[in-house]
């Protein structure tokens, strides 16, 4: 019985020793890598598209929600542009057409009897949102040669996939007072 305990203790200590050696080798390898900076994936697939939303100012103000959930973008201002037709909100979105499909979403407010009596009633919220297209595995497989080449050169980099890079909201100066920007806490 005592002999089996000695053998098992030796196997356990040998495993701990080999695990320590492996960890040490891994730490030496990782510490010898240099940082290669930030690389952007998807620059070549950027397109700009306009989304128009028609509204009637007689129905109340239109609230534009500033937060975009795909890409972490925020709309910071609404611009006045005489080129935009009256009663239209125009959103110009620059996005990666391989990875994101943006669209305009409108949530109409339910009007109660109390709202009918108020003068400043909002007709609803307008938001730019996007649907993710593709897969993370596809992005990895498209760029695996770049990753492996960097590892061969003992470099490791930060990669960022572009989804939506820019949003500009434009409204005709006549209807600008009827469009509000809802600022979300950041």
């Amino acid at each position: 019985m005592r002999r089996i305990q000695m053998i098992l203790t030796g196997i356990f200590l040998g495993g701990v020793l080999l695990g320590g050696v492996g960890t040490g080798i891994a730490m030496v390898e990782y510490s010898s890598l240099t940082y290669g900076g930030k690389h952007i994936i998807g620059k070549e697939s950027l397109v700009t598209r306009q989304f128009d939303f028609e509204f009637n100012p007689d129905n109340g103000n239109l609230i534009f929600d500033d937060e975009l959930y795909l890409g972490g973008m925020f709309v910071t201002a609404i611009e006045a542009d005489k080129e935009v037709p009256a009663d239209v909100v125009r959103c110009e979105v620059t996005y990666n057409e391989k990875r994101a499909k943006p669209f305009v979403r409108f949530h109409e407010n339910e009007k109660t009897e109390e709202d009918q009596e108020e003068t400043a009633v909002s007709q609803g919220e307008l938001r730019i949102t996007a649907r993710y297209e593709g897969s993370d595995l596809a992005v990895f497989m498209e760029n695996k040669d770049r990753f492996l080449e960097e590892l061969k050169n003992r470099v490791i980099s930060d990669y960022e996939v572009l989804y939506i890079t820019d949003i500009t909201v434009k409204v005709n100066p006549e209807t600008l007072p009827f469009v509000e920007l809802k600022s979300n806490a950041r």
Side-chain angles (χ1 to χ4, degrees), residues 77-84 169-176:
I78 297 175
E79 298 177 8
D81 187 355
K82 292 180 181 179
E83 301 285 323
V84 177
V169 179
K170 297 179 180 180
V171 178
N172 189 294
E174 294 174 19
T175 53
L176 185 59

Side-chain angles (χ1 to χ4, degrees), residues 21-31:
V21 169
T23 301
I25 291 171
M27 292 304 295
V28 168
E29 288 296 317
Y30 293 141
S31 65

